[in-house]
Amino acid sequence: AQTVTQSQPEMSVQEAETVTLSCTYDTSESNYYLFWYKQPPSRQMILVIRQEAYKQQNATENRFSVNFQKAAKSFSLKISDSQLGDTAMYFCAFMKQTYGGATNKLIFGTGTLLAVQP
Amino acid sequence: NAGVTQTPKFRILKIGQSMTLQCTQDMNHNYMYWYRQDPGMGLKLIYYSVGAGITDKGEVPNGYNVSRSTTEDFPLRLELAAPSQTSVYFCASSSGNNLGWDNSPLHFGNGTRLTVT
């Protein structure tokens, strides 16, 4: 069974600074996807970034980037130039790669609550 | 497109009552899911469906039932509400792809906060 661990329950960062959120996972699969989701106080689940395990290049989406270390099973999220709107709960999630009609089940970590201070 | 719509947004139940959480999506997605989110925890999968007429259990199915009579709708039923079912419930959908290695990210509804007292 796969597990996802986020060891930082809460973090704080000053506006405009950079912060890194940690995530480790355990799996025996070789093909999978990893995601970071953001959940602001509105409860909406918003996809931030996604990484395919077969890709060596780290994914980047504007101010958000990941450090994907497949051998170490580590998938950290870096937020550059933090903004007040980045304040949210951040969830790391794992999805086994499927083929031919199998399901896309996400396994979530317990989340990191990020507070961006003005 | 409205995406994934969940109703109600909030609900308070007494122990032993029953209710149905509604979920509908207008994206013609085959796959639909119900997750629950407990305080300080990640989301855990309750039930999922790969298409109309097909449902299966996730990690935490006890105390719940689902049905999938149409592609659009995936209601979650609580028959005898218990305090342990106090949680935020999320419905999600994804397109999947029967032709190849395409794992679309899930599209989530805005959640239903349920309190059982």
Side-chain angles (χ1 to χ4, degrees), chain A residues 37-46 85-91 113, chain B residues 90:
Chain A
Y37 277 88
K38 170 185 176 182
Q39 186 182 44
S42 66
R43 288 205 310 249
Q44 190 180 4
M45 292 289 287
I46 302 165
D86 295 333
T87 293
M89 181 74 85
Y90 287 82
F91 291 100
L113 182 61
Chain B
F90 286 94

PDB file of all heavy atoms in Angstrom, chain A residues 37-46 85-91 113, chain B residues 90:
ATOM      1  N   TYR A  37      -1.837  19.895  -3.861  1.00  0.00           N
ATOM      2  CA  TYR A  37      -3.117  20.589  -3.867  1.00  0.00           C
ATOM      3  C   TYR A  37      -3.092  21.671  -2.799  1.00  0.00           C
ATOM      4  O   TYR A  37      -2.527  21.492  -1.726  1.00  0.00           O
ATOM      5  CB  TYR A  37      -4.274  19.634  -3.571  1.00  0.00           C
ATOM      6  CG  TYR A  37      -4.763  18.854  -4.768  1.00  0.00           C
ATOM      7  CD1 TYR A  37      -4.176  17.644  -5.106  1.00  0.00           C
ATOM      8  CD2 TYR A  37      -5.811  19.322  -5.551  1.00  0.00           C
ATOM      9  CE1 TYR A  37      -4.618  16.920  -6.206  1.00  0.00           C
ATOM     10  CE2 TYR A  37      -6.266  18.606  -6.648  1.00  0.00           C
ATOM     11  CZ  TYR A  37      -5.662  17.403  -6.967  1.00  0.00           C
ATOM     12  OH  TYR A  37      -6.101  16.692  -8.050  1.00  0.00           O
ATOM     13  N   LYS A  38      -3.773  22.771  -3.094  1.00  0.00           N
ATOM     14  CA  LYS A  38      -3.911  23.883  -2.154  1.00  0.00           C
ATOM     15  C   LYS A  38      -5.364  23.945  -1.714  1.00  0.00           C
ATOM     16  O   LYS A  38      -6.278  23.837  -2.545  1.00  0.00           O
ATOM     17  CB  LYS A  38      -3.517  25.182  -2.868  1.00  0.00           C
ATOM     18  CG  LYS A  38      -3.820  26.456  -2.127  1.00  0.00           C
ATOM     19  CD  LYS A  38      -3.484  27.650  -3.007  1.00  0.00           C
ATOM     20  CE  LYS A  38      -3.862  28.960  -2.339  1.00  0.00           C
ATOM     21  NZ  LYS A  38      -3.586  30.135  -3.216  1.00  0.00           N
ATOM     22  N   GLN A  39      -5.577  24.112  -0.404  1.00  0.00           N
ATOM     23  CA  GLN A  39      -6.933  24.254   0.120  1.00  0.00           C
ATOM     24  C   GLN A  39      -7.014  25.527   0.949  1.00  0.00           C
ATOM     25  O   GLN A  39      -6.635  25.553   2.113  1.00  0.00           O
ATOM     26  CB  GLN A  39      -7.337  23.039   0.963  1.00  0.00           C
ATOM     27  CG  GLN A  39      -8.792  23.090   1.403  1.00  0.00           C
ATOM     28  CD  GLN A  39      -9.193  21.916   2.268  1.00  0.00           C
ATOM     29  OE1 GLN A  39      -8.453  21.523   3.168  1.00  0.00           O
ATOM     30  NE2 GLN A  39     -10.352  21.345   2.000  1.00  0.00           N
ATOM     31  N   PRO A  40      -7.496  26.623   0.380  1.00  0.00           N
ATOM     32  CA  PRO A  40      -7.663  27.871   1.148  1.00  0.00           C
ATOM     33  C   PRO A  40      -8.842  27.743   2.102  1.00  0.00           C
ATOM     34  O   PRO A  40      -9.543  26.729   2.104  1.00  0.00           O
ATOM     35  CB  PRO A  40      -7.935  28.902   0.039  1.00  0.00           C
ATOM     36  CG  PRO A  40      -8.464  28.125  -1.112  1.00  0.00           C
ATOM     37  CD  PRO A  40      -7.865  26.752  -1.029  1.00  0.00           C
ATOM     38  N   PRO A  41      -9.074  28.755   2.917  1.00  0.00           N
ATOM     39  CA  PRO A  41     -10.185  28.700   3.876  1.00  0.00           C
ATOM     40  C   PRO A  41     -11.546  28.430   3.226  1.00  0.00           C
ATOM     41  O   PRO A  41     -12.464  27.953   3.878  1.00  0.00           O
ATOM     42  CB  PRO A  41     -10.142  30.073   4.545  1.00  0.00           C
ATOM     43  CG  PRO A  41      -8.708  30.465   4.461  1.00  0.00           C
ATOM     44  CD  PRO A  41      -8.222  29.931   3.140  1.00  0.00           C
ATOM     45  N   SER A  42     -11.687  28.727   1.968  1.00  0.00           N
ATOM     46  CA  SER A  42     -12.946  28.444   1.264  1.00  0.00           C
ATOM     47  C   SER A  42     -13.223  26.954   1.104  1.00  0.00           C
ATOM     48  O   SER A  42     -14.313  26.560   0.698  1.00  0.00           O
ATOM     49  CB  SER A  42     -12.909  29.090  -0.125  1.00  0.00           C
ATOM     50  OG  SER A  42     -11.919  28.466  -0.934  1.00  0.00           O
ATOM     51  N   ARG A  43     -12.266  26.100   1.436  1.00  0.00           N
ATOM     52  CA  ARG A  43     -12.341  24.626   1.354  1.00  0.00           C
ATOM     53  C   ARG A  43     -12.133  24.091  -0.056  1.00  0.00           C
ATOM     54  O   ARG A  43     -12.027  22.884  -0.238  1.00  0.00           O
ATOM     55  CB  ARG A  43     -13.684  24.082   1.865  1.00  0.00           C
ATOM     56  CG  ARG A  43     -13.941  24.122   3.314  1.00  0.00           C
ATOM     57  CD  ARG A  43     -14.955  23.056   3.702  1.00  0.00           C
ATOM     58  NE  ARG A  43     -16.148  23.046   2.893  1.00  0.00           N
ATOM     59  CZ  ARG A  43     -17.346  23.405   3.352  1.00  0.00           C
ATOM     60  NH1 ARG A  43     -17.476  23.861   4.570  1.00  0.00           N
ATOM     61  NH2 ARG A  43     -18.405  23.329   2.570  1.00  0.00           N
ATOM     62  N   GLN A  44     -12.078  24.946  -1.030  1.00  0.00           N
ATOM     63  CA  GLN A  44     -11.898  24.468  -2.393  1.00  0.00           C
ATOM     64  C   GLN A  44     -10.557  23.758  -2.527  1.00  0.00           C
ATOM     65  O   GLN A  44      -9.554  24.195  -1.969  1.00  0.00           O
ATOM     66  CB  GLN A  44     -11.953  25.671  -3.336  1.00  0.00           C
ATOM     67  CG  GLN A  44     -12.029  25.338  -4.796  1.00  0.00           C
ATOM     68  CD  GLN A  44     -12.084  26.590  -5.648  1.00  0.00           C
ATOM     69  OE1 GLN A  44     -11.988  27.705  -5.140  1.00  0.00           O
ATOM     70  NE2 GLN A  44     -12.239  26.414  -6.941  1.00  0.00           N
ATOM     71  N   MET A  45     -10.512  22.664  -3.257  1.00  0.00           N
ATOM     72  CA  MET A  45      -9.265  21.935  -3.514  1.00  0.00           C
ATOM     73  C   MET A  45      -8.750  22.361  -4.880  1.00  0.00           C
ATOM     74  O   MET A  45      -9.399  22.126  -5.902  1.00  0.00           O
ATOM     75  CB  MET A  45      -9.496  20.425  -3.489  1.00  0.00           C
ATOM     76  CG  MET A  45      -9.852  19.872  -2.128  1.00  0.00           C
ATOM     77  SD  MET A  45      -8.464  19.896  -0.984  1.00  0.00           S
ATOM     78  CE  MET A  45      -7.475  18.570  -1.626  1.00  0.00           C
ATOM     79  N   ILE A  46      -7.569  22.971  -4.901  1.00  0.00           N
ATOM     80  CA  ILE A  46      -7.029  23.544  -6.136  1.00  0.00           C
ATOM     81  C   ILE A  46      -5.715  22.847  -6.467  1.00  0.00           C
ATOM     82  O   ILE A  46      -4.795  22.808  -5.643  1.00  0.00           O
ATOM     83  CB  ILE A  46      -6.765  25.060  -5.953  1.00  0.00           C
ATOM     84  CG1 ILE A  46      -8.070  25.770  -5.551  1.00  0.00           C
ATOM     85  CG2 ILE A  46      -6.184  25.665  -7.222  1.00  0.00           C
ATOM     86  CD1 ILE A  46      -7.851  27.164  -5.014  1.00  0.00           C
ATOM     87  N   GLY A  85      -2.110  35.564  -0.592  1.00  0.00           N
ATOM     88  CA  GLY A  85      -3.086  34.613  -1.128  1.00  0.00           C
ATOM     89  C   GLY A  85      -2.603  33.176  -1.133  1.00  0.00           C
ATOM     90  O   GLY A  85      -3.385  32.262  -1.423  1.00  0.00           O
ATOM     91  N   ASP A  86      -1.330  32.967  -0.830  1.00  0.00           N
ATOM     92  CA  ASP A  86      -0.810  31.596  -0.746  1.00  0.00           C
ATOM     93  C   ASP A  86      -1.154  30.944   0.593  1.00  0.00           C
ATOM     94  O   ASP A  86      -0.931  29.745   0.771  1.00  0.00           O
ATOM     95  CB  ASP A  86       0.712  31.588  -0.933  1.00  0.00           C
ATOM     96  CG  ASP A  86       1.134  32.048  -2.314  1.00  0.00           C
ATOM     97  OD1 ASP A  86       0.344  31.891  -3.272  1.00  0.00           O
ATOM     98  OD2 ASP A  86       2.266  32.568  -2.438  1.00  0.00           O
ATOM     99  N   THR A  87      -1.658  31.725   1.538  1.00  0.00           N
ATOM    100  CA  THR A  87      -2.054  31.168   2.833  1.00  0.00           C
ATOM    101  C   THR A  87      -3.124  30.119   2.622  1.00  0.00           C
ATOM    102  O   THR A  87      -4.195  30.397   2.064  1.00  0.00           O
ATOM    103  CB  THR A  87      -2.574  32.281   3.762  1.00  0.00           C
ATOM    104  OG1 THR A  87      -1.489  33.146   4.093  1.00  0.00           O
ATOM    105  CG2 THR A  87      -3.175  31.698   5.034  1.00  0.00           C
ATOM    106  N   ALA A  88      -2.832  28.898   3.042  1.00  0.00           N
ATOM    107  CA  ALA A  88      -3.736  27.772   2.778  1.00  0.00           C
ATOM    108  C   ALA A  88      -3.159  26.509   3.403  1.00  0.00           C
ATOM    109  O   ALA A  88      -2.016  26.491   3.860  1.00  0.00           O
ATOM    110  CB  ALA A  88      -3.912  27.544   1.278  1.00  0.00           C
ATOM    111  N   MET A  89      -3.966  25.457   3.382  1.00  0.00           N
ATOM    112  CA  MET A  89      -3.464  24.118   3.679  1.00  0.00           C
ATOM    113  C   MET A  89      -2.966  23.527   2.370  1.00  0.00           C
ATOM    114  O   MET A  89      -3.648  23.653   1.337  1.00  0.00           O
ATOM    115  CB  MET A  89      -4.589  23.260   4.259  1.00  0.00           C
ATOM    116  CG  MET A  89      -4.179  21.852   4.625  1.00  0.00           C
ATOM    117  SD  MET A  89      -3.183  21.775   6.113  1.00  0.00           S
ATOM    118  CE  MET A  89      -4.473  21.734   7.341  1.00  0.00           C
ATOM    119  N   TYR A  90      -1.803  22.892   2.411  1.00  0.00           N
ATOM    120  CA  TYR A  90      -1.240  22.273   1.216  1.00  0.00           C
ATOM    121  C   TYR A  90      -1.145  20.766   1.421  1.00  0.00           C
ATOM    122  O   TYR A  90      -0.581  20.292   2.409  1.00  0.00           O
ATOM    123  CB  TYR A  90       0.144  22.853   0.899  1.00  0.00           C
ATOM    124  CG  TYR A  90       0.066  24.253   0.344  1.00  0.00           C
ATOM    125  CD1 TYR A  90      -0.070  25.348   1.197  1.00  0.00           C
ATOM    126  CD2 TYR A  90       0.094  24.491  -1.028  1.00  0.00           C
ATOM    127  CE1 TYR A  90      -0.174  26.634   0.697  1.00  0.00           C
ATOM    128  CE2 TYR A  90      -0.003  25.775  -1.545  1.00  0.00           C
ATOM    129  CZ  TYR A  90      -0.142  26.836  -0.662  1.00  0.00           C
ATOM    130  OH  TYR A  90      -0.245  28.116  -1.168  1.00  0.00           O
ATOM    131  N   PHE A  91      -1.688  20.032   0.459  1.00  0.00           N
ATOM    132  CA  PHE A  91      -1.680  18.574   0.530  1.00  0.00           C
ATOM    133  C   PHE A  91      -0.824  18.001  -0.585  1.00  0.00           C
ATOM    134  O   PHE A  91      -0.956  18.386  -1.752  1.00  0.00           O
ATOM    135  CB  PHE A  91      -3.097  18.012   0.382  1.00  0.00           C
ATOM    136  CG  PHE A  91      -3.996  18.296   1.540  1.00  0.00           C
ATOM    137  CD1 PHE A  91      -4.922  19.329   1.483  1.00  0.00           C
ATOM    138  CD2 PHE A  91      -3.917  17.530   2.694  1.00  0.00           C
ATOM    139  CE1 PHE A  91      -5.757  19.584   2.554  1.00  0.00           C
ATOM    140  CE2 PHE A  91      -4.754  17.778   3.769  1.00  0.00           C
ATOM    141  CZ  PHE A  91      -5.666  18.808   3.705  1.00  0.00           C
ATOM    142  N   LEU A 113      -0.189  23.403   6.975  1.00  0.00           N
ATOM    143  CA  LEU A 113      -0.868  24.691   7.000  1.00  0.00           C
ATOM    144  C   LEU A 113       0.162  25.802   6.860  1.00  0.00           C
ATOM    145  O   LEU A 113       1.019  25.974   7.730  1.00  0.00           O
ATOM    146  CB  LEU A 113      -1.648  24.852   8.303  1.00  0.00           C
ATOM    147  CG  LEU A 113      -2.452  26.151   8.443  1.00  0.00           C
ATOM    148  CD1 LEU A 113      -3.503  26.244   7.342  1.00  0.00           C
ATOM    149  CD2 LEU A 113      -3.104  26.239   9.818  1.00  0.00           C
TER     150      LEU A 113
ATOM    151  N   PHE B  90     -16.015  15.588   0.471  1.00  0.00           N
ATOM    152  CA  PHE B  90     -15.719  16.111  -0.867  1.00  0.00           C
ATOM    153  C   PHE B  90     -16.087  15.082  -1.922  1.00  0.00           C
ATOM    154  O   PHE B  90     -15.725  13.912  -1.832  1.00  0.00           O
ATOM    155  CB  PHE B  90     -14.229  16.432  -1.009  1.00  0.00           C
ATOM    156  CG  PHE B  90     -13.804  17.659  -0.283  1.00  0.00           C
ATOM    157  CD1 PHE B  90     -13.289  17.576   0.996  1.00  0.00           C
ATOM    158  CD2 PHE B  90     -13.919  18.909  -0.881  1.00  0.00           C
ATOM    159  CE1 PHE B  90     -12.901  18.714   1.685  1.00  0.00           C
ATOM    160  CE2 PHE B  90     -13.533  20.055  -0.201  1.00  0.00           C
ATOM    161  CZ  PHE B  90     -13.024  19.949   1.084  1.00  0.00           C
TER     162      PHE B  90
END
